[in-house]
Amino acid sequence: MGTRKPFDREATPTEISIDELLIDRKRAYARRAQRAAAQKLTPIRVNLDGPIGIAHFGDPHIDDDGTNIELLERHIKLVNRTEGMFAANVGDYRNNWVGRLARLWAQQTTSAANARVLLKWLIGSTDWLYLVGGNHDAWTSNDDDPVKWLAEQAGALHQPFMARIELRFPNRRSIRVNARHDFKGYSEWNTAHGPAKAARLGWRDHILTCGHTHVSGYNVLKDPASGLISHAIRVASYKIHDHYAVQEGLPDQNIFMCPVTIINPAKADDDPACVTTIFDPEMGADFLRFLRRRK
């Protein structure tokens, strides 16, 4: 037997070179930075002249037995038949029980499969201005989130936990809406403390809205430097009967779960008529129709 081997195996690289790794990391950061910059303020062009309204839907929890789905459906139909009114949602579209909470599936009559059917109906029921992901939605990985997938199919803006948008009107006015599933900061004296605190600490937006805690709250604030009037709104949930709230002795603070903000782009930032908040969506639709006829 000779000393020469009868075959040769080419070496397989086991590690990426430092030059290649640096290039990959730079590209990954550039993609992340570009996405973050786009999410800071998403421009949305409004193709209608005159006033518009945004119906801010609270947490649907659409598969929960305690959810008033009849009321949810009625509000969606109201948006669909009202010219100039848009729907938006602050998250927690279904219970999505996972992990140790999976035992709670036994306490509701809707199965996980039927919850997905309801979710498909909800996302496809209207043209959503934006859809914010909530903590219940985050229990599913972002890559496997049906809300994200359905929103993409519907062409709706979907972002986890927050969406900050700039509505650009034909008259070149811009109105900013800052929506989160929750703004940090709580007070036993003020249920809207979180979004109001955000406005005071520098978020110069016309509308700041959130949900999560299933209570209602509203503050109106004015920035003394610019004159900008901000409307801070915490929206309650369509989940009216909540076993957890009863168990913890939480007080019923569910006043409204679909307030409407009427935006009049003809008015200045410091004009109280620029944004009008109406807690009843039927009254909001009536007022919007009145303003649009008057324009």
Side-chain angles (χ1 to χ4, degrees):
M1 187 174 181
T3 58
R4 184 180 179 183
K5 292 177 63 174
F7 58 84
D8 290 303
R9 180 179 64 83
E10 292 188 8
T12 301
T14 57
E15 293 184 0
I16 187 172
S17 71
I18 183 59
D19 291 336
E20 293 173 316
L21 184 58
L22 287 171
I23 291 173
D24 282 351
R25 293 299 84 213
K26 291 173 183 177
R27 287 174 176 169
Y29 175 79
R31 288 192 298 268
R32 181 65 179 270
Q34 185 178 19
R35 185 167 65 249
Q39 291 177 345
K40 283 184 178 179
L41 188 63
T42 303
I44 296 179
R45 186 175 66 251
V46 178
N47 296 321
L48 294 174
D49 289 317
I52 67 163
I54 304 176
H56 302 272
F57 285 71
D59 302 17
H61 290 280
I62 196 168
D63 55 330
D64 197 279
D65 290 2
T67 289
N68 191 339
I69 198 166
E70 181 181 0
L71 184 62
L72 173 63
E73 185 180 25
R74 187 159 77 237
H75 289 165
I76 290 171
K77 289 180 178 179
L78 175 67
V79 170
N80 288 341
R81 68 173 181 264
T82 304
E83 182 187 38
M85 185 178 287
F86 308 127
N89 199 280
V90 293
D92 281 358
Y93 302 92
R94 54 185 177 141
N95 283 335
N96 195 31
W97 305 122
V98 295
R100 63 181 179 83
L101 295 176
R103 59 184 172 79
L104 297 178
W105 283 113
Q107 298 181 17
Q108 65 179 58
T109 60
T110 308
S111 66
N114 285 340
R116 288 190 291 271
V117 175
L118 288 167
L119 183 61
K120 183 178 180 181
W121 164 78
L122 178 64
I123 304 302
S125 62
T126 190
D127 293 326
W128 295 96
L129 185 63
Y130 60 77
L131 295 165
V132 173
N135 60 300
H136 281 249
D137 308 305
W139 293 339
T140 302
S141 69
N142 192 46
D143 293 333
D144 193 35
D145 184 359
V147 178
K148 176 184 177 183
W149 186 85
L150 290 167
E152 289 174 351
Q153 303 307 304
L157 172 65
H158 171 268
Q159 293 180 182
F161 298 111
M162 61 81 65
R164 185 168 179 258
I165 65 174
E166 180 183 53
L167 296 172
R168 296 178 177 177
F169 289 84
N171 68 347
R172 298 189 178 183
R173 277 280 282 137
S174 292
I175 299 292
R176 294 176 300 281
V177 180
N178 192 343
R180 295 190 62 90
H181 184 58
D182 191 20
F183 282 96
K184 294 302 181 185
Y186 301 99
S187 167
E188 62 180 307
W189 310 111
N190 180 8
T191 51
H193 177 68
K197 176 182 176 182
R200 292 189 183 97
L201 292 182
W203 288 104
R204 299 295 179 250
D205 299 309
H206 300 78
I207 300 167
L208 299 93
T209 182
C210 64
H212 182 54
T213 57
H214 297 195
V215 300
S216 307
Y218 174 69
N219 286 179
V220 60
L221 310 97
K222 184 174 183 177
D223 174 31
S226 66
L228 173 70
I229 298 173
S230 296
H231 296 252
I233 310 167
R234 185 177 291 278
V235 188
S237 173
Y238 284 90
K239 185 176 178 179
I240 306 298
H241 303 290
D242 189 345
H243 174 75
Y244 177 78
V246 174
Q247 174 184 311
E248 297 297 316
L250 303 178
D252 180 6
Q253 295 293 316
N254 189 333
I255 306 168
F256 51 83
M257 69 290 293
C258 189
V260 177
T261 49
I262 310 296
I263 300 169
N264 191 340
K267 303 297 183 179
D269 288 348
D270 60 352
D271 191 324
C274 177
V275 177
T276 303
T277 301
I278 299 178
F279 304 127
D280 178 74
E282 297 281 354
M283 291 181 62
D286 288 342
F287 184 56
L288 177 60
R289 283 190 285 264
F290 165 75
L291 289 182
R292 290 192 59 78
R293 284 196 302 268
R294 197 174 68 169
K295 76 179 179 63

